[in-house]
Amino acid sequence: MSSRKARNTAHGSVPADGRTHRPPAKQTPTKRTARAAVTLRSAVVQVSRAWSHEVDTGLMSPQTAKLYTRAAEELLVFGKAHGITLIDEVTADLVTAFDRAPGHDRHGNIIVTPEDGTRRQRRSGIASFYTYARALGLTQCVPLVDAERIHRSPRKAGAGLSIEEIELLKFHSERGMPATRNAAVLALLLTGLHSAEIAASGTTDLNLDAGEITTRGATYTEARTCPLSDWARYVLGLRLTHLAGKPPEQRLLVANPRSAAHVAQASVGSAFGEIVRRCGLSTTTRKVEPRDVTRFLARQILRESGSLSEVARRLGLSSLDSAAGLAGLQWKTPRAGGTA
């Protein structure tokens, strides 16, 4: 969620949590490691241990470490099937073939041709694996330098929701509330929270008397307090009453407190998808996503306040460029060559 992505420009890869992870300080290879052949299996074990240390020190998210480790382990299996056992034997051609290899979806079904997003995720893991392996003195190879670039589709402009469509979303989200969470999810989106923040929001973050909610922020967003609309106060008040009987540690507004952070965040998207399906706004040519609600709110804040800084503050963004993009504002004059 924000421009925030720190890209590996050499390989076209993006870490799962969007941050640039700094590998351990490069070690001078010993005489043994400089001459002895390091197996791919041994390298995977040592680099995975380094990633775990990054998680323990807060420099890498558990989700990113899990994705990277899985990519490295899959490369190990893939390399073995191709007769590759040493880390120095992995070539750009092998990495490209690995990117394109069939995989499985979340239900275990075989995916013959992986999506570009899956390929970039694999590439990101392998890029990090070799970066850390070089820093640990396990290899001097850089197989991704000559690997084929992965196509990236241009970012879509979004659905461009109208006030009438927002009202339609509200109407269909109220079905079954407060026992169902859909209305609360939509209310928090319309308040300015992003999916990761919504998943982490608890009952103690709400102040209905003051008409506001406090969020601790997320990977790409800052901690802040956001005002609630009358409708948001109404549906969140009902949800708060519904959850009052639960133990304090279980009082998350919309997510299961036992779920991992990335699972809880994904469930927010699932709840929004249910609302969209009920009101029929998504079609084969138009996809409505939570980010479209954020874009609607950004335009509304800009129209009411006239301040791009206020858009950034309400949405927890550190970049005015990101705020302008969400609000649909071209605030920089294009250069003569046609680029902004």
Side-chain angles (χ1 to χ4, degrees):
M1 299 190 165
S2 62
S3 100
R4 13 44 98 175
K5 291 185 179 178
R7 300 190 178 180
N8 184 328
T9 55
H11 315 306
S13 60
V14 180
D17 62 358
R19 294 180 292 179
T20 300
H21 301 298
R22 184 173 299 170
K26 188 171 182 178
Q27 301 176 0
T28 302
T30 63
K31 187 174 182 180
R32 182 188 66 80
T33 57
R35 293 182 179 178
V38 178
T39 65
L40 192 55
R41 179 179 295 277
S42 173
V44 169
V45 171
Q46 295 184 60
V47 172
S48 296
R49 190 177 297 126
W51 285 332
S52 296
H53 178 70
E54 298 284 78
V55 172
D56 293 339
T57 55
L59 297 176
M60 181 181 290
S61 75
Q63 181 187 3
T64 296
K66 181 178 179 181
L67 292 174
Y68 283 178
T69 300
R70 184 171 65 188
E73 290 174 345
E74 289 175 348
L75 178 67
L76 174 63
V77 174
F78 189 80
K80 184 177 181 181
H82 287 76
I84 302 299
T85 58
L86 303 180
I87 188 172
D88 288 347
E89 294 176 335
V90 176
T91 64
D93 288 340
L94 184 75
V95 170
T96 299
F98 171 71
D99 289 341
R100 296 173 174 175
H104 295 83
D105 63 16
R106 68 182 66 181
H107 304 295
N109 301 316
I110 295 177
I111 301 175
V112 178
T113 304
E115 298 288 339
D116 287 341
T118 300
R119 295 183 62 204
R120 282 192 294 272
Q121 192 175 84
R122 291 174 177 175
R123 184 71 64 87
S124 178
I126 301 309
S128 181
F129 169 69
Y130 268 89
T131 298
Y132 277 74
R134 289 192 298 273
L136 292 171
L138 303 177
T139 184
Q140 294 182 353
C141 293
V142 191
L144 278 78
V145 167
D146 298 319
E148 175 187 280
R149 290 184 178 274
I150 301 174
H151 172 72
R152 181 180 293 275
S153 301
R155 184 181 293 276
K156 296 181 179 178
L161 295 172
S162 65
I163 294 178
E164 292 75 20
E165 288 172 327
I166 290 293
E167 292 301 321
L168 189 62
L169 287 171
K170 289 181 181 179
F171 175 79
H172 286 278
S173 72
E174 292 182 5
R175 185 184 301 179
M177 73 172 192
T180 57
R181 59 182 181 157
N182 290 359
V185 166
L186 183 60
L188 293 173
L189 278 172
L190 286 169
T191 300
L193 274 65
H194 304 271
S195 58
E197 297 171 329
I198 293 172
S201 294
T203 56
T204 56
D205 298 322
L206 270 176
N207 186 340
L208 293 179
D209 292 334
E212 60 189 24
I213 185 170
T214 299
T215 173
R216 291 173 290 280
T219 303
Y220 313 124
T221 53
E222 306 293 335
R224 63 200 181 283
T225 298
C226 301
L228 300 172
S229 66
D230 291 341
W231 182 78
R233 290 180 70 177
Y234 167 64
V235 298
L236 291 173
L238 290 178
R239 184 67 175 169
L240 190 65
T241 301
H242 174 73
L243 296 173
K246 294 184 178 295
E249 65 274 10
Q250 296 183 13
R251 294 181 190 170
L252 290 182
L253 288 170
V254 302
N256 186 333
R258 294 183 294 275
S259 296
H262 67 283
V263 175
Q265 182 176 355
S267 75
V268 171
S270 297
F272 181 78
E274 185 177 340
I275 303 170
V276 171
R277 286 192 299 273
R278 284 178 175 175
C279 61
L281 287 182
S282 276
T283 65
T284 55
T285 58
R286 186 197 194 206
K287 185 178 181 181
V288 179
E289 301 175 313
R291 192 175 182 84
D292 293 312
V293 176
T294 305
R295 290 189 179 102
F296 171 85
L297 179 63
R299 294 194 302 270
Q300 186 180 52
I301 296 172
L302 182 61
R303 183 170 56 251
E304 293 175 353
S305 68
S307 170
L308 194 57
S309 296
E310 179 63 12
V311 175
R313 187 195 69 79
R314 282 280 301 277
L315 299 181
L317 305 175
S318 58
S319 167
L320 290 180
D321 287 334
S322 298
L326 287 173
L329 175 67
Q330 183 177 328
W331 69 307
K332 291 185 177 180
T333 304
R335 296 174 182 171
T339 58

